[in-house]
Amino acid sequence: VAAGEDCLWYVDRNGSWHPGFDCEFLTFCCGTCHQRYCCRDPLRLLTERQQRHCLAFSPKTIAGIASAVVLFIAIVTTIVCCFMCSCCYLYQRRQHSRTPLQGPEIPLSSYPPAAPPAPFPVDPKAGPVPPQPGFTPMAMYPPPGPAAQYPMYPSGPPVYNPTAPPPYVPAQPSYPGA
């Protein structure tokens, strides 16, 4: 054992913090976890490793770590429960964001299907790419010409015409015994 062991900082039994200090030549850090001093007796030696062990496993350190773990679990549990409880603001907000937007539906059946993605980059020097099976190539832009016109509908409600024939009603099948 070499002389000149340093006494690291420590906390006494009252909870007061004490800074570390160096012991003179041929003296050692002696004492306990809660009281340290320099002495010449190698049997009372408190090595730096033992001093660090006192710091790592002090009751206050263990209590601090335990309370941090309990607080973390409580916060996570509260958030999870709040997302599952229908009376909670976060649950209502999550459900509200899931509802689809209400509005007119626009059919897209008249548009051509999208081209499948290329399986690999195309080299422009290689020339035209053969068409993929099941895919018919289309022009990039629509051909020039008049734009498609939507049918004109009369404005307002339909007009009643007493001379018009009644609407078509399919004949009812006749069953025997009916």
Side-chain angles (χ1 to χ4, degrees):
V1 177
E5 264 316 297
D6 295 335
C7 286
L8 303 177
W9 67 269
Y10 65 98
V11 178
D12 64 15
R13 294 208 184 272
N14 297 330
S16 299
W17 181 82
H18 297 275
F21 53 91
D22 293 335
C23 293
E24 295 179 9
F25 187 68
L26 293 177
T27 59
F28 309 101
C29 184
C30 301
T32 64
C33 288
H34 303 291
Q35 182 183 9
R36 298 190 187 152
Y37 53 91
C38 294
C39 71
R40 293 180 190 257
D41 186 5
L43 297 176
R44 293 190 212 161
L45 172 67
L46 190 62
T47 64
E48 287 187 16
R49 183 177 179 183
Q50 290 170 330
Q51 294 176 58
R52 284 191 187 94
H53 184 73
C54 291
L55 297 174
F57 297 106
S58 69
K60 286 190 177 186
T61 305
I62 293 172
I65 292 172
S67 62
V69 168
V70 168
L71 181 64
F72 176 76
I73 291 172
I75 289 172
V76 169
T77 303
T78 302
I79 290 173
V80 168
C81 289
C82 201
F83 274 110
M84 302 210 150
C85 179
S86 63
C87 63
C88 185
Y89 171 75
L90 294 174
Y91 177 86
Q92 292 170 357
R93 178 130 184 202
R94 191 183 84 192
Q95 292 300 325
H96 179 69
S97 67
R98 282 187 174 179
T99 58
L101 297 174
Q102 301 295 329
E105 204 172 294
I106 301 172
L108 300 175
S109 61
S110 63
Y111 291 102
F120 49 87
V122 178
D123 185 10
K125 295 182 259 178
V129 177
Q132 299 288 329
F135 178 73
T136 55
M138 299 183 73
M140 185 63 80
Y141 298 102
Q149 295 293 321
Y150 293 102
M152 298 299 290
Y153 292 102
S155 62
V159 179
Y160 177 71
N161 184 357
T163 60
Y168 174 75
V169 177
Q172 298 294 326
S174 59
Y175 296 103

